[in-house]
Amino acid sequence: MKRLPTLVEGLDEILNGGLFEGGVYIFEGPPGVGKTTLANQIAYTLARREIRTLYVTMLAESHARMLQHMEQQIFFDQQEVSATVFYVSGYRELEQGGLKSVVELLRAELMRHRASLLVIDGLVVNSLETMTNDSVRQFVHELQSLVSAMSCTCLVLTSGNGNALSAEQTMVDGIFSFEDHGFHWRAERRMQVRKFRGSQVIRGQHTFCISTQGLQFFPRLESLPLTHGNVKLGAIPLATGLGPLDGVLHGGGLLAGSASAVIGHTGSGKTTLALAFAACSTLESPGLVLSCTELGSDLRRMGSELGLHIETAVSSGALAIKNLGHEDESMDEMGHKLLRLVDELKIRRLVVDGVAGLADTLAFPERGYRFLGRLLVELRRRGVTSLFTVDPDALAIAAGTPLADGVTGWFDNVFVFEPVATRDRQIDERILTITKVRGGGATQPAVDVFVSFPKAAQTSAA
């Protein structure tokens, strides 16, 4: 069967290639969730490939008003209106002649414009509820026959959860459910493919966002197919940036491609160790710092105060500092953003400062640790040596649950800043316990870390 790619970022990945030619697909969801924007986005994106769309509205709202909203979208092109994207109103036919008249209108307009995509926007309205199941069933049957004969793909945009079309949902080729899901102060837009004939799809609810670029979908990271088998860690170690710590690690550092967790409470030194690791980035081995809790400017200032070469690395292009999760991003959106930056910048050293930022999302309590495990697999597959900082208290508040047992098993290396009473240590002293190291372990179980300002962080073996 021939596919019709939607060319919408993330959506074709979820559908394993796009929609099928000649299929009828229902987009259902409450008003304002993005169905009309998505349909227009598909239409104008396909127009660049000279694929024609017939857009039929069943609502009283004028086309001019809808186009005024679409003008704010980057994908919109006024020159394509009535050239490759044709707008027709079916409101009068529906009111005066019912669904039979609508079918006659569709047949005539499809033949006239030779469209490969048909959009029916607003079919399920209150008046349709009064029609008999037989008339609705007959309409769906004739619609399928029509688009199949004309090799045209059809999108039916409806409000609610199917309503009058619920009895006919078994007849269509696909059902897409859209929702704006909110919980307390957080909100996410989600889409689920409830039915899709002819192909496997990535199951589950997938988040999406709406911007001036249209809709962008973020497939569930842990549900994506694995394209490669297990990837071995590199043999050449990478320095952590703390000399005495490297001195006690067999090989003199962390194995390339490994993932490390640095665990500790606020002020224990996690970010200091993370910045020392990032400061070792070079043009040959670029680094990326993703901050989930602090602004990038604050991290750069902190690096300078510690005497680390953060500014030098940033200025040379060896290191980039970005924020993650500061714009109500979903967990999957953050994951895809992270991997996109890694690919685009060819990153080899990665710091994610604050796993609590990933946890402060709606999906984390349900599937956050499976997501994190798959994220680490993707980073290893790309040859990235990563370091994640974890504040147990912040994570418990964000996720609504304490740090789960066994989570550290996802990581190759685990370092823990032990809480020590102030009276029992020097003011700038921290004790870093080496809990787990992949590839040989360490010569001793802990090191003393001295954090002082404005000099560089210094360490001495415990």
Side-chain angles (χ1 to χ4, degrees):
M1 296 175 65
K2 186 177 179 181
R3 294 267 190 174
L4 178 69
T6 66
L7 305 180
V8 174
E9 184 174 353
L11 183 55
D12 289 332
E13 189 175 7
I14 294 171
L15 302 179
N16 196 27
L19 305 171
F20 284 107
E21 184 181 278
V24 177
Y25 300 93
I26 294 178
F27 286 6
E28 62 179 26
V33 79
K35 303 184 302 294
T36 296
T37 300
L38 176 59
N40 278 276
Q41 180 181 356
I42 295 173
Y44 285 96
T45 305
L46 291 176
R48 302 191 190 105
R49 296 190 175 186
E50 299 182 353
I51 296 176
R52 297 185 169 205
T53 296
L54 173 64
Y55 200 112
V56 181
T57 60
M58 295 296 174
L59 302 176
E61 182 181 27
S62 68
H63 295 149
R65 186 166 182 80
M66 180 170 63
L67 292 178
Q68 285 178 349
H69 293 297
M70 290 302 110
E71 286 176 353
Q72 310 302 317
Q73 302 293 327
I74 294 175
F75 61 75
F76 178 76
D77 186 350
Q78 182 66 46
Q79 294 181 347
E80 301 295 347
V81 178
S82 299
T84 54
V85 182
F86 306 92
Y87 292 92
V88 175
S89 175
Y91 179 74
R92 185 178 62 180
E93 282 75 9
L94 180 62
E95 288 293 303
Q96 297 180 359
L99 294 174
K100 185 175 181 180
S101 295
V102 172
V103 173
E104 294 174 355
L105 172 69
L106 297 177
R107 181 178 290 108
E109 294 295 333
L110 282 174
M111 294 181 64
R112 176 185 173 193
H113 297 295
R114 303 186 309 278
S116 297
L117 177 66
L118 168 64
V119 178
I120 304 175
D121 192 351
L123 179 61
V124 178
V125 292
N126 291 335
S127 60
L128 194 58
E129 298 283 357
T130 63
M131 298 182 181
T132 65
N133 284 338
D134 287 341
S135 64
V136 177
R137 186 180 296 108
Q138 182 66 25
F139 169 77
V140 174
H141 176 73
E142 292 185 7
L143 180 62
Q144 283 184 314
S145 300
L146 176 61
V147 297
S148 179
M150 303 193 70
S151 299
C152 178
T153 303
C154 178
L155 307 179
V156 180
L157 280 54
T158 77
S159 59
N161 295 313
N163 295 334
L165 286 181
S166 59
E168 279 60 50
Q169 288 186 355
T170 57
M171 299 172 60
V172 299
D173 298 282
I175 303 171
F176 298 69
S177 295
F178 295 79
E179 67 172 351
D180 195 350
H181 187 76
F183 182 75
H184 294 316
W185 63 90
R186 291 173 286 188
E188 287 182 357
R189 291 185 172 95
R190 297 176 177 177
M191 185 277 294
Q192 181 176 5
V193 184
R194 290 175 47 209
K195 175 183 179 181
F196 197 81
R197 284 178 175 168
S199 173
Q200 291 185 339
V201 297
I202 300 178
R203 296 171 58 98
Q205 293 183 322
H206 308 280
T207 57
F208 66 94
C209 68
I210 304 176
S211 67
T212 56
Q213 297 181 352
L215 273 66
Q216 181 181 3
F217 292 83
F218 308 101
R220 291 163 59 102
L221 197 65
E222 70 271 24
S223 299
L224 293 176
L226 281 169
T227 56
H228 300 278
N230 293 329
V231 180
K232 295 182 179 181
L233 298 178
I236 302 177
L238 276 70
T240 65
L242 297 176
L245 174 60
D246 291 332
V248 302
L249 296 176
H250 288 298
L254 308 174
L255 292 182
S258 64
S260 301
V262 181
I263 303 172
H265 298 284
T266 300
S268 60
K270 303 183 303 299
T271 300
T272 299
L273 176 54
L275 290 176
F277 176 77
C280 295
S281 302
T282 64
L283 292 175
E284 294 73 24
S285 182
L288 171 66
V289 176
L290 291 174
S291 174
C292 298
T293 55
E294 300 186 56
L295 296 176
S297 57
D298 292 336
L299 291 179
R300 295 175 68 167
R301 175 182 52 79
M302 180 179 177
S304 298
E305 292 175 349
L306 288 166
L308 301 173
H309 301 296
I310 295 294
E311 284 294 340
T312 301
V314 171
S315 299
S316 68
L319 177 65
I321 300 178
K322 306 284 185 180
N323 293 120
L324 194 66
H326 287 196
E327 299 178 357
D328 202 24
E329 296 170 329
S330 69
M331 184 175 70
D332 289 296
E333 182 175 357
M334 285 189 276
H336 284 275
K337 176 181 178 180
L338 185 159
L339 294 176
R340 185 182 69 249
L341 287 170
V342 165
D343 291 338
E344 290 177 352
L345 302 177
K346 298 180 173 54
I347 298 302
R348 289 296 172 265
R349 284 177 179 260
L350 171 68
V351 168
V352 177
D353 189 28
V355 171
L358 292 171
D360 193 19
T361 55
L362 286 173
F364 192 89
E366 177 185 354
R367 40 178 282 263
Y369 292 121
R370 295 196 303 274
F371 165 89
L372 181 59
R374 180 56 185 273
L375 180 61
L376 297 182
V377 169
E378 292 296 323
L379 291 173
R380 175 182 287 192
R381 188 171 67 82
R382 289 165 168 80
V384 177
T385 307
S386 59
L387 188 151
F388 291 69
T389 67
V390 183
D391 183 333
D393 292 338
L395 180 62
I397 293 173
T401 180
L403 180 64
D405 294 335
V407 170
T408 54
W410 289 113
F411 293 91
D412 302 292
N413 316 300
V414 180
F415 306 100
V416 180
F417 279 99
E418 299 292 346
V420 180
T422 303
R423 65 178 182 272
D424 296 331
R425 63 172 171 82
Q426 301 179 44
I427 191 170
D428 58 354
E429 181 187 13
R430 310 288 190 272
I431 298 177
L432 180 65
T433 299
I434 304 170
T435 303
K436 174 184 177 183
V437 177
R438 186 80 68 186
T443 59
Q444 59 188 57
V447 294
D448 287 345
V449 178
F450 291 89
V451 181
S452 58
F453 297 88
K455 296 180 180 181
Q458 300 175 359
T459 64
S460 64

